[in-house]
Amino acid sequence: MFKRYATYYLTVKRKLFLIFRSISTELDKAKITIAIIDDHRLFRAGISELLSNQQDIEVVFEADNGVEMQASLKNSQVIPDIVLMDVNMPHMDGYESSRWLKKHYPGIGILALSMLDEEDTITRMLQSGSGGYLLKNANPEDLVTAVREIAYNGSYLNNIVTAKFMRSVKTGNISVPPLSSKELEFLRLCCTPMSYSAIATEMNISVNTLEKHRAAVFRKLDLPSRPGVMLYAIKNGLVKV
């Protein structure tokens, strides 16, 4: 009888181990992977520690500038979901690095993180492909929120960025290439908090088809990021909110 109970115990223990290992694996898969690109190492270390303390976020690599970022991407076993990008860096700054990322790794989200709050700087980063812009003196909770917003919704807009970017977007008689009915529907839904997957469901199309509409709209408006498209569309009356 002891042998039978021992066998039963080992079987249950083995099953529990497999269950917990499976759960752990799924949690690891669900983590938002982050790369931090900033030439101030002390600041990087603080950001890395803050984000690593979040159960759903993992920092996969750090780099001093865009050149090091390129090398890290080639050598990293994990391609990050989001890159936290400083603006002023030696060798390859945030503008050039963001444009390079959008060309070679369009699936990576970008969150600009800088002390610069000038209108021109914010606008240039959003037009270079950043999905959001956060000042380095923001609350830690704001950074975590911004990371999650970009991961799940593709963009992060706060009041400061919205106000400055809205003033800088050109207005007047604009010439926008004709958009199809599906592209106009996407544009309208893009100006809501909905994630891309939720937009695809709302439009009753696949995520792959949605990606084609997204790419077409971004190309026609000549803006590489969702925040830029949203604010451009709203200010120029392409959509009503």
Side-chain angles (χ1 to χ4, degrees):
M1 181 176 291
F2 174 78
K3 184 177 181 180
R4 185 167 66 250
Y5 278 117
T7 302
Y8 173 76
Y9 170 77
L10 291 174
T11 301
V12 171
K13 183 178 180 181
R14 174 63 177 171
K15 287 183 177 180
L16 288 174
F17 170 76
L18 292 174
I19 290 172
F20 285 125
R21 187 175 68 176
S22 175
I23 293 174
S24 177
T25 300
E26 290 302 315
L27 287 174
D28 287 340
K29 288 181 180 178
K31 284 188 175 182
I32 303 168
T33 51
I34 302 291
I36 305 172
I37 316 302
D38 194 297
D39 59 328
H40 294 95
R41 297 186 180 183
L42 189 60
F43 174 79
R44 268 198 342 243
I47 294 298
S48 180
E49 182 178 2
L50 168 67
L51 295 178
S52 296
N53 286 333
Q54 308 300 314
Q55 290 186 342
D56 60 335
I57 299 175
E58 178 184 4
V59 177
V60 294
F61 71 79
E62 303 174 18
D64 281 340
N65 52 62
V67 175
E68 288 190 10
M69 175 193 71
Q70 292 177 353
S72 296
L73 282 169
K74 292 178 181 178
N75 297 325
S76 178
Q77 294 182 344
V78 178
I79 299 300
D81 298 312
I82 298 173
V83 166
L84 303 187
M85 186 78 72
D86 191 13
V87 176
N88 287 340
M89 297 179 290
H91 307 301
M92 189 175 183
D93 62 22
Y95 308 118
E96 186 179 356
S97 299
S98 296
R99 289 192 295 269
W100 184 89
L101 268 180
K102 284 304 172 183
K103 180 179 180 180
H104 297 279
Y105 294 88
I108 296 179
I110 303 171
L111 174 63
L113 203 56
S114 176
M115 286 300 297
L116 304 174
D117 63 352
E118 290 85 359
E119 187 175 298
D120 180 65
T121 301
I122 295 173
T123 301
R124 285 184 63 192
M125 281 302 293
L126 293 179
Q127 291 176 335
S128 295
S130 177
Y133 194 105
L134 193 67
L135 297 179
K136 287 184 176 180
N137 61 1
N139 293 325
E141 296 82 5
D142 292 337
L143 174 59
V144 175
T145 297
V147 166
R148 290 172 178 153
E149 283 290 319
I150 291 181
Y152 299 121
N153 297 326
S155 64
Y156 171 76
L157 294 175
N158 53 28
N159 292 335
I160 296 176
V161 172
T162 301
K164 290 180 179 292
F165 191 73
M166 286 289 277
R167 286 198 299 268
S168 70
V169 175
K170 61 183 179 181
T171 56
N173 296 321
I174 58 172
S175 177
V176 180
L179 299 176
S180 69
S181 59
K182 282 294 186 181
E183 290 169 353
L184 285 171
E185 184 181 3
F186 165 78
L187 189 60
R188 177 179 62 82
L189 294 173
C190 189
C191 296
T192 70
M194 297 173 68
S195 66
Y196 283 140
S197 60
I199 292 175
T201 301
E202 177 70 17
M203 294 178 65
N204 196 28
I205 58 177
S206 68
V207 174
N208 288 336
T209 301
L210 180 83
E211 172 59 25
K212 293 179 181 178
H213 292 315
R214 185 204 65 78
V217 171
F218 282 29
R219 183 182 68 254
K220 290 178 180 180
L221 298 183
D222 194 26
L223 290 167
S225 67
R226 184 174 179 178
V229 169
M230 291 167 62
L231 297 174
Y232 183 95
I234 292 170
K235 187 162 188 182
N236 289 288
L238 298 178
V239 296
K240 294 181 180 180
V241 293

